[in-house]
């Protein structure tokens, strides 16, 4: 069996809601849940964005069938797909860049960035949706993208961890099957590594030192793949590593194909 690369989590992520337009998104898009919303975001603009695209185009469309949790039931998702595809084509033709989307509280919430004057392209698609609201505003700092779409802190860990889960599912993994799951932390000094090793053993994880270009700690346990549990662990290991001059380096496991 191939072992999932421990460093692929830096590329992208998904979580259990990934049916919504995941296929249409780049492999670098992240997905996560925050404040009872499901969020998809393209993280490539985190460090730098096109300065000429200084206007936010934000579309909010009420759901006809939000379902009990407000995220949209299967009928709602199916009904929105053709509108979504048409909006995507219109936005691309208008030179807009899709940066992220949210769904929750009975509303589809899509965002693009571009120059002024592109709203007429999207409006054509929305002629039969008078309930939709398209807002256009100057946002040269991409505040909506940074403050409402990009994950931070523990949410970033959850989003990144989802990529590993997605790769496991693509390999045909039975996520419920127990297997050894390992977590790596790197250090620049042996003394920091040794101090962290003593500390991390208090979490209940098995742990051992590793040698290589940089000294490290390998923590591991046997369980099925539960993204929430793994996110709790990766966040805890990351936080503890910050206190001992270390850097959390990822997690991985071998797929279990039944």
């Amino acid at each position: 069996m191939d072992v999932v690369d421990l460093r692929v989590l830096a590329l992208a992520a998904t979580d259990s809601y990934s049916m919504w337009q995941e296929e249409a998104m780049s492999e670098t898009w992240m997905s996560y849940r925050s404040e009872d919303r499901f969020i998809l975001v393209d993280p490539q603009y985190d460090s730098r964005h096109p300065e000429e695209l200084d206007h936010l185009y934000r579309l909010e469309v009420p759901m006809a069938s939000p379902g009990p949790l407000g995220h949209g039931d299967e009928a709602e998702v199916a009904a929105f797909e053709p509108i979504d595809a048409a909006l995507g084509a219109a936005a691309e033709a208008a030179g807009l860049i899709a940066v992220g989307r949210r769904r929750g509280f009975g509303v589809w919430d899509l965002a693009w960035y571009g120059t002024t004057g592109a709203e007429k392209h999207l409006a054509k698609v929305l002629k039969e949706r008078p309930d939709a609201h398209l807002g256009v505003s100057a946002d040269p700092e991409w505040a909506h993208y940074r403050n409402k779409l990009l994950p931070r802190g523990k949410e970033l860990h959850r989003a990144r961890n989802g990529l590993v889960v997605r790769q496991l599912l693509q390999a045909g993994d039975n996520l419920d099957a127990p297997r050894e799951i390992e977590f790596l932390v790197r250090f620049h000094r042996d003394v920091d590594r040794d101090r962290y090793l003593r500390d991390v053993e208090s979490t209940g994880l098995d742990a051992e030192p590793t040698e290589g270009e940089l000294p490290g700690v390998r923590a591991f346990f046997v369980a099925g793949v539960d993204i929430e549990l793994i996110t709790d662990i990766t966040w805890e290991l990351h936080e503890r590593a910050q206190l001992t001059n270390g850097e959390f380096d990822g997690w991985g496991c071998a797929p279990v194909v039944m």
Side-chain angles (χ1 to χ4, degrees):
M1 294 184 294
D2 295 331
V3 177
V4 176
D5 189 337
L6 293 174
R7 292 166 182 78
V8 298
L9 84 172
L11 301 176
T14 186
D15 63 17
S16 60
Y17 90 99
S18 61
M19 293 300 99
W20 179 42
Q21 287 292 308
E22 186 77 17
E23 298 81 1
M25 300 301 173
S26 163
E27 284 294 315
T28 61
W29 281 60
M30 287 181 176
S31 61
Y32 65 102
R33 182 170 178 165
S34 176
E35 297 179 346
D36 212 26
R37 287 186 177 93
F38 286 129
I39 300 176
L40 277 169
V41 61
D42 187 345
Q44 68 172 302
Y45 304 109
D46 187 10
S47 58
R48 184 178 180 183
H49 64 264
E51 294 184 359
E52 68 275 12
L53 305 184
D54 56 1
H55 278 66
L56 167 68
Y57 290 76
R58 183 178 173 188
L59 176 65
E60 295 177 280
V61 184
M63 296 179 180
S65 304
L69 300 179
H71 301 142
D73 57 20
E74 291 185 10
E76 176 66 33
V77 174
F80 192 71
E81 282 179 358
I83 301 172
D84 195 14
L87 286 168
E92 184 176 359
L96 300 179
I97 290 179
V99 296
R101 47 180 54 197
R102 305 188 297 177
R103 66 170 183 166
F105 302 102
V107 175
W108 302 97
D109 186 350
L110 284 65
W112 301 266
Y113 278 89
T115 56
T116 59
E119 56 266 33
K120 59 181 179 291
H121 296 274
L122 300 178
K124 290 179 181 178
V125 179
L126 299 170
K127 283 183 178 179
E128 312 220 345
R129 290 301 302 259
D131 57 341
H133 177 262
L134 176 62
V136 184
S137 59
D139 188 7
E141 300 300 322
W142 285 38
H144 178 76
Y145 171 76
R146 299 189 184 285
N147 299 331
K148 302 297 184 181
L149 296 174
L150 281 179
R152 299 296 183 191
K154 192 173 182 178
E155 288 179 346
L156 179 59
H157 274 250
R158 182 181 291 107
R160 287 176 169 175
N161 291 344
L163 175 62
V164 183
V165 176
R166 179 166 62 186
Q167 288 196 335
L168 290 169
L169 289 171
Q170 289 174 343
D173 191 297
N174 174 15
L175 298 181
D176 293 330
R179 85 288 306 277
E180 184 178 90
I181 301 173
E182 65 176 2
F183 308 83
L184 296 181
V185 185
R186 303 296 185 191
F187 300 87
H188 291 283
R189 302 189 307 169
D190 289 343
V191 63
D192 292 326
R193 186 267 311 276
D194 295 342
R195 183 157 57 102
Y196 183 86
L197 182 61
R198 292 191 298 270
D199 180 50
V200 79
E201 287 175 342
S202 68
T203 66
L205 295 172
D206 293 317
E208 62 186 15
T210 64
E211 304 297 338
E213 184 176 347
L214 292 174
V217 169
R218 173 181 177 266
F220 54 96
F221 76 126
V222 175
V225 177
D226 180 330
I227 192 169
E228 293 302 323
L229 174 60
I230 288 173
T231 297
D232 286 343
I233 293 173
T234 60
W235 180 247
E236 177 77 10
L237 295 179
H238 163 77
E239 290 286 275
R240 289 173 182 259
Q242 295 294 298
L243 299 175
T244 51
N245 302 312
E247 181 177 351
F248 178 71
D249 197 36
W251 70 277
C253 62
V256 178
V257 181
M258 307 300 288

